[in-house]
Amino acid sequence: MNALLVYPQFPETYWSFKYALSFLGKKSAQPPLGLMTVSALLPDHWQKRLVDTNIEPIRERDLNWADVVLLSGMHIQRDALLAIVERCHARGLRTVVGGPVASSVAAADLKADHVVIGEAESLIADLARDLEQGAARAVYQARERPDMATSPLPDLSLIKMNRYSTMTVQYSRGCPFNCEFCDIIEIYGRRPRTKAVAQVLAELDQLRAAGWRESVFIVDDNFIGNKDRARQLCVALAEWRQQFKTSFDLTTEASLNLADDPELMGLMKEAGFKGVFLGIETPDESGLISSNKLQNTRRSLLECVATIQSYGMEVMGGFILGFDTDKPDIFDRMVDFIEKSGIPIAMVGLLQAMPGTQLFRRLWKEGRILDAGHGDNTGVHLNFLPHMSPERLVAGYRSVLQRIYNNEAYFKRVKLYLSRAPSPRGDRSSQRRWFTHSNVRALVTSMLRQGIFGRQRWAYWKFVMTAATRYHRSFGPAMALAVMGYHLQVVTRKLLKAEDGTGFSLAD
Ligand code: SF4
């Protein structure tokens, strides 16, 4: 059986990092880890090819070769995925769709011959057997969430590694918290499941053996969902780092209560973590309470961020506007918080009610759902009727984007972060590692594109001078953030331009 694994294209959003990737000569941020894992689960005697349409188009000869096309993606990739399914069907090719999109979109709407709902580890053997026998069912639904010990080493041989800016490893799935708007806990559950330490090290060994030396994103829902296990892994990662006298720069996602645990933050630092994405959501405590994000309440969010930054981890933050509790001053409060946080990459989005979430169910009962959403909360689109007038909410959202993503405000936040992070004095391997071909290329492109042809050039050069003098030991990461800023600014400009005066789109 010839299996063609296809990863649909992401639309252009803040999360695509498209304009930063072009500086690095890369095509996409991360490889399709889910499909690489599916490939490893398929029978050995099957032939496999993988096409990530974020880096290359599907060739006719791949479609001619395939007996079956397996697609996976997230809700945001839905439209691109449906177009590929249609293209396959037009030539009589059998299709299978799985991944998170299969949990958030009704099976019939995916239009595939077979839909796999749930995690691949417990389903792929049955699906493969049935496909071989020509007796595959329309829907395969996992009865339980698999033990991650059964998750195989992802098939690295299928991807064009140098087209990506970071490699990915998954250590855990699930999160113990219960945020109302979260689809993660609906899909992966609230009991964090982890791989064994040896599995993670084997994945890192595989990346190292393949020549990868750049960053690795631990793509967990919440890396510290099980803190004891996270501690054990960090100790092992630090030993691994020592053993090879080098390591990857690690980033991950975690809940804000990381700030309560100095031991764990210290271990993460030793393990090589350089960044962490936190769902901060809102500086307004009533919004946190109403959305059941209780782990972010009864604390100073700004102090938590500063504490984590002091361990050398750049904090990236997720923020949401549109909670029922938001008052007209929320926009100014949000900007003020972001300014004081020193979070350069602050992803502010409008609340989206994702199908399958507690929020969707509540708003559905209240008759406020307008459509199923598109999975990108950083676009100007509302899929439910908010309490605040939609025009006021979208205008406020636009004003927040405008204020946080101009050069001056952005570089001010980067400098605040750099002032809080410990100087990487003595970590010469880390400084040397930064000077890779793609980073040097990004630096030169940045100076041309941002420093010579860019807008607000004076703010850029002022920042470069400060980075080169006051923060020279962190010059590489500082310039990487300058490049990220370019992406965020271009997407912001496009977002603000795309809409008319009132500037919001409600579903038909
Ligand atoms: S902390 Fe994050 S992953 Fe966990 S339930 Fe809340 S939003 Fe979901």
Side-chain angles (χ1 to χ4, degrees):
M1 184 81 80
N2 291 342
L4 181 65
L5 299 111
V6 179
Y7 198 50
Q9 197 165 15
F10 284 95
E12 187 182 311
T13 68
Y14 283 122
W15 292 105
S16 71
F17 296 112
K18 176 178 164 181
Y19 297 101
L21 291 168
S22 70
F23 282 55
L24 295 157
K26 305 284 184 180
K27 288 280 191 183
S28 184
Q30 298 164 14
L33 186 65
L35 284 175
M36 291 154 66
T37 305
V38 167
S39 170
L41 288 162
L42 288 171
D44 289 342
H45 60 274
W46 283 30
Q47 305 297 313
K48 302 146 201 169
R49 286 185 192 170
L50 189 150
V51 178
D52 178 356
T53 59
N54 294 284
I55 65 165
E56 60 190 348
I58 307 172
R59 300 170 305 183
E60 280 300 302
R61 64 172 185 268
D62 288 327
L63 294 173
N64 290 336
W65 168 87
D67 296 312
V68 61
V69 177
L70 296 103
L71 300 110
S72 171
M74 295 190 268
H75 197 82
I76 194 169
Q77 294 160 281
R78 181 189 55 192
D79 291 349
L81 180 144
L82 290 175
I84 298 167
V85 168
E86 203 174 306
R87 182 174 167 195
C88 293
H89 285 175
R91 53 194 303 142
L93 252 178
R94 188 163 289 280
T95 54
V96 180
V97 168
V101 70
S103 299
S104 58
V105 176
D109 293 342
L110 291 169
K111 309 224 170 14
D113 297 298
H114 315 285
V115 174
V116 177
I117 305 169
E119 296 169 49
E121 286 84 356
S122 59
L123 295 166
I124 293 294
D126 287 353
L127 171 73
R129 182 201 57 221
D130 295 348
L131 282 170
E132 282 183 336
Q133 293 172 359
R137 302 195 300 273
V139 176
Y140 288 77
Q141 171 120 37
R143 274 191 291 276
E144 57 194 25
R145 297 192 172 100
D147 184 339
M148 287 197 70
T150 61
S151 194
L153 200 59
D155 191 345
L156 200 59
S157 67
L158 292 182
I159 62 161
K160 298 181 171 92
M161 212 181 218
N162 61 1
R163 304 282 183 91
Y164 299 95
S165 63
T166 184
M167 286 293 116
T168 46
V169 169
Q170 188 178 46
Y171 165 57
S172 73
R173 292 180 196 154
C175 173
F177 295 111
N178 194 19
C179 307
E180 189 192 31
F181 51 81
C182 179
D183 59 344
I184 297 286
I185 48 176
E186 308 289 340
I187 301 173
Y188 299 110
R190 291 186 54 205
R191 189 178 62 79
R193 291 163 290 140
T194 63
K195 287 179 182 168
V197 166
Q199 283 175 282
V200 177
L201 296 186
E203 291 189 35
L204 293 176
D205 284 339
Q206 177 176 240
L207 289 172
R208 197 176 172 278
W212 186 255
R213 294 292 180 272
E214 297 178 45
S215 60
V216 173
F217 186 28
I218 309 283
V219 288
D220 290 12
D221 307 320
N222 182 357
F223 180 72
I224 62 163
N226 182 328
K227 282 190 175 183
D228 286 340
R229 292 272 175 87
R231 267 188 266 275
Q232 286 165 23
L233 178 63
C234 286
V235 170
L237 287 172
E239 283 166 8
W240 188 88
R241 185 179 151 101
Q242 277 297 319
Q243 186 185 347
F244 294 107
K245 301 286 174 237
T246 179
S247 79
F248 307 120
D249 285 345
L250 302 176
T251 48
T252 191
E253 301 187 43
S255 44
L256 192 106
N257 59 324
L258 172 62
D260 303 339
D261 197 327
E263 186 200 356
L264 183 50
M265 287 185 288
L267 290 172
M268 286 177 74
K269 184 179 174 195
E270 292 301 308
F273 281 89
K274 296 288 194 303
V276 59
F277 181 89
L278 305 174
I280 295 170
E281 322 307 4
T282 175
D284 178 47
E285 180 129 328
S286 60
L288 295 168
I289 292 169
S290 71
S291 60
N292 215 22
K293 190 122 199 166
L294 303 179
Q295 68 275 24
N296 285 17
T297 61
R298 296 189 303 277
R299 56 170 77 237
S300 161
L301 295 173
L302 284 173
E303 277 174 23
C304 291
V305 170
T307 302
I308 297 172
Q309 288 167 331
S310 73
Y311 283 81
M313 287 185 271
E314 181 212 333
V315 171
M316 293 154 275
F319 298 90
I320 297 176
L321 290 164
F323 290 118
D324 286 352
T325 45
D326 282 352
K327 301 281 179 298
D329 67 352
I330 188 64
F331 310 109
D332 291 340
R333 290 177 66 191
M334 186 71 88
V335 171
D336 184 58
F337 180 93
I338 291 170
E339 269 174 11
K340 289 178 177 153
S341 69
I343 296 177
I345 301 175
M347 297 297 203
V348 186
L350 290 173
L351 182 63
Q352 284 247 329
M354 292 290 288
T357 59
Q358 301 169 68
L359 176 65
F360 190 93
R361 292 193 285 274
R362 173 169 69 81
L363 295 176
W364 182 266
K365 270 193 214 147
E366 294 173 9
R368 294 165 62 194
I369 291 291
L370 297 165
D371 69 20
H374 48 43
D376 170 28
N377 72 339
T378 56
V380 185
H381 176 91
L382 291 166
N383 80 324
F384 71 98
L385 281 172
H387 272 183
M388 190 182 289
S389 93
E391 291 84 355
R392 178 76 196 89
L393 176 56
V394 174
Y397 173 54
R398 289 156 62 86
S399 84
V400 170
L401 296 183
Q402 222 154 15
R403 285 184 278 168
I404 64 171
Y405 283 130
N406 62 71
N407 254 356
E408 204 168 338
Y410 180 78
F411 287 134
K412 206 168 153 194
R413 296 202 300 279
V414 178
K415 283 188 269 186
L416 181 54
Y417 158 62
L418 292 171
S419 72
R420 288 174 180 170
S423 163
R425 195 191 304 265
D427 187 1
R428 294 206 180 279
S429 73
S430 166
Q431 290 166 39
R432 267 199 309 272
R433 250 194 347 270
W434 188 84
F435 285 95
T436 60
H437 174 259
S438 55
N439 283 344
V440 171
R441 175 193 162 129
L443 179 63
V444 174
T445 314
S446 162
M447 290 185 172
L448 285 174
R449 229 183 267 179
Q450 295 177 275
I452 295 179
F453 301 110
R455 302 174 187 205
Q456 297 179 306
R457 290 184 285 273
W458 62 269
Y460 172 83
W461 284 113
K462 210 168 118 193
F463 172 74
V464 174
M465 291 313 293
T466 310
T469 51
R470 201 176 313 162
Y471 305 111
H472 64 276
R473 287 200 168 87
S474 303
F475 184 70
M479 292 311 295
L481 281 168
V483 168
M484 292 302 282
Y486 179 81
H487 166 77
L488 298 166
Q489 285 158 18
V490 174
V491 174
T492 302
R493 272 204 301 275
K494 288 190 161 195
L495 252 175
L496 297 178
K497 230 191 246 171
E499 305 295 328
D500 60 18
T502 56
F504 82 96
S505 68
L506 288 178
D508 296 333

